[in-house]
Amino acid sequence: MSLTAARPAEIAAEVARRPFTFGVEEEFLLLDPDTWANRPVAEQARLTLPPAMHERSRSEFRRSMFEMVTPVCTDARRLRGHLLDNRRAAAGSAAAVGARLVAVGATPVAEPDRAVVDTPRFHAIARHYGPIAHDPALCGVHVHVGVPDRALAIQACNAIRPWLPVVQAITANSPFHAGADTGHASWRAIALERWPSLGPAPYLDSPEDYDRTVQELVDTGVMLDASMVLWWARPSSRYPTVEVRVGDVCPTADDTVLVAALVRGLVATAVADVAAGRPALRPPEHLLRAAHWNAAHAGLDGTLTDLRVREPRPAWQLVDELVARTGPALERHDDRETVRAGLAALRERGNGATRQRRVHARGGLPAVLDDLAAATTSG
């Protein structure tokens, strides 16, 4: 079947019959091993990577940030192997230039050098957005799920919006900033609210609606250009994927695999809903934004907003319902056991924010960052 010639439900049905591929981009901080302040040595560190690993690395906006990407995968076990390879190679390159690689969502202590990486593109962003472009560095995890039709990718983004605050709460891994507890589980998410082109995606009806909305935002100056579409879920501008970018970078590779499996389950479920003609839930924008703020604030240690009934619910109840909603897709991709084991570990240890606070209570912020550095290259 030609996807371009088919009707939306037929396209969705055809895509739903195929296994969904996925891949991950992870951003890390390079920290001074003595002061734990950010170290602007990412480009020097990248030069020490073996050629195959250098191809998986990317220059980021800030010189203290290090990004690694996985190949496209079909199963969670292979994804885990690539994540561990990436993290260990990046940690070795960081050590070669006197830094430690740390999977943490926000600058925990300080960033003395806030210059952007020296490219025309990054300088243009810094000029356009001013001081917010020089906020301390923030690191996320971006999960790509293969969806080969752009219109279908937009519909999938609509459908997964009510569940992304739950994903955000699972990944929350940045309670500390400027050496102190912010009171939020994800300071990264709170800090990113200063950027006008980040946050939950608007509900969009079609590619034409998407393009029109983006152009209006460019014309008003909110976006520098169309590449500044940085919504929590979007059709990727580079790949035939749905890109979910709501989460803090996770402490361990196993945490990232859990999140990637859940996101793939969500996207696959959304495509199945389109194929079956089930409409996407459309919560009001103010409540959707409130649900994300609440997820960033509470993480898994409180209540989250159930956007289906517009009421607060215990966070773990919504996690369980997310697993139930994605159950058939998890089963189909052999991800059910991966998710079960990952959530069992999460229940026992807590998410990144909870773990950091427990270590902090015992040994202060240096102990937190030492623990995070060790976790970054663990399973």
Side-chain angles (χ1 to χ4, degrees):
M1 175 188 294
S2 168
L3 294 183
T4 56
R7 291 176 295 183
E10 293 173 337
I11 293 172
E14 176 65 22
V15 171
R17 282 192 284 270
R18 309 171 185 175
F20 284 78
T21 59
F22 59 172
V24 172
E25 303 168 353
E26 292 187 298
E27 298 166 341
F28 306 97
L29 284 183
L30 296 174
L31 302 184
D32 186 284
D34 297 318
T35 67
W36 295 108
N38 295 18
R39 291 202 66 187
V41 292
E43 290 307 297
Q44 297 94 309
R46 288 184 69 220
L47 293 175
T48 73
L49 285 168
M53 283 298 167
H54 190 273
E55 291 181 4
R56 295 191 191 181
S57 69
R58 301 288 185 271
S59 292
E60 256 301 336
F61 188 61
R62 303 302 282 279
R63 298 195 295 155
S64 61
M65 292 176 64
F66 205 109
E67 183 177 60
M68 298 293 292
V69 305
T70 71
V72 177
C73 298
T74 56
D75 66 87
R77 181 177 298 181
R78 182 160 293 184
L79 178 67
R80 181 180 187 272
H82 288 310
L83 289 167
L84 283 172
D85 289 346
N86 286 357
R87 286 171 171 239
R88 289 167 180 169
S93 71
V97 295
R100 295 193 77 178
L101 187 85
V102 180
V104 63
T107 294
V109 175
E111 187 169 21
D113 183 336
R114 300 188 187 181
V116 301
V117 170
D118 187 17
T119 70
R121 168 70 181 158
F122 290 156
H123 285 302
I125 293 172
R127 285 193 301 271
H128 188 76
Y129 292 100
I132 63 172
H134 298 282
D135 283 349
L138 307 165
C139 296
V141 59
H142 306 160
V143 180
H144 288 260
V145 180
V147 177
D149 179 80
R150 187 165 180 252
L152 181 58
I154 290 168
Q155 290 177 295
C157 289
N158 288 339
I160 68 176
R161 292 194 315 159
W163 293 101
L164 290 185
V166 184
V167 176
Q168 184 176 28
I170 290 171
T171 68
N173 185 38
S174 52
F176 294 99
H177 174 68
D181 193 327
T182 64
H184 300 283
S186 173
W187 179 249
R188 168 185 167 271
I190 300 298
L192 285 175
E193 290 187 356
R194 287 161 57 91
W195 288 84
S197 56
L198 275 79
Y203 187 100
L204 299 165
D205 293 322
S206 63
E208 294 75 21
D209 189 23
Y210 182 101
D211 293 339
R212 181 171 54 252
T213 299
V214 170
Q215 189 58 51
E216 288 170 349
L217 293 172
V218 172
D219 291 344
T220 61
V222 167
M223 290 184 185
L224 176 63
D225 55 40
S227 71
M228 293 301 294
V229 177
L230 302 174
W231 295 321
W232 295 147
R234 65 177 186 176
S236 172
S237 60
R238 293 181 291 172
Y239 310 114
T241 65
V242 167
E243 180 183 6
V244 173
R245 47 191 300 118
V246 70
D248 289 1
V249 66
C250 297
T252 71
D254 283 341
D255 293 329
T256 302
V257 171
L258 166 65
V259 171
L262 287 171
V263 168
R264 176 163 67 171
L266 271 174
V267 173
T269 301
V271 171
D273 285 346
V274 174
R278 291 186 287 269
L281 179 67
R282 190 170 180 175
E285 297 300 315
H286 71 279
L287 198 57
L288 183 61
R289 288 190 170 274
H292 278 290
W293 189 94
N294 191 31
H297 178 70
L300 294 175
D301 293 333
T303 62
L304 299 176
T305 307
D306 186 338
L307 289 164
R308 298 165 300 176
V309 296
R310 306 187 184 187
E311 294 177 357
R313 299 272 305 285
W316 276 103
Q317 284 188 12
L318 283 177
V319 172
D320 290 341
E321 290 179 23
L322 169 60
V323 174
R325 171 164 172 73
T326 58
L330 297 178
E331 192 74 41
R332 178 169 169 243
H333 291 94
D334 292 326
D335 284 341
R336 186 178 291 279
E337 177 56 26
T338 296
V339 168
R340 187 207 63 76
L343 288 177
L346 204 65
R347 286 181 189 273
E348 180 181 349
R349 301 193 312 264
N351 64 7
T354 301
R355 296 178 220 174
Q356 288 188 49
R357 285 170 170 151
R358 286 175 182 166
V359 175
H360 186 268
R362 298 194 301 267
L365 193 54
V368 170
L369 298 172
D370 193 59
D371 183 74
L372 276 171
T376 299
T377 53
S378 69

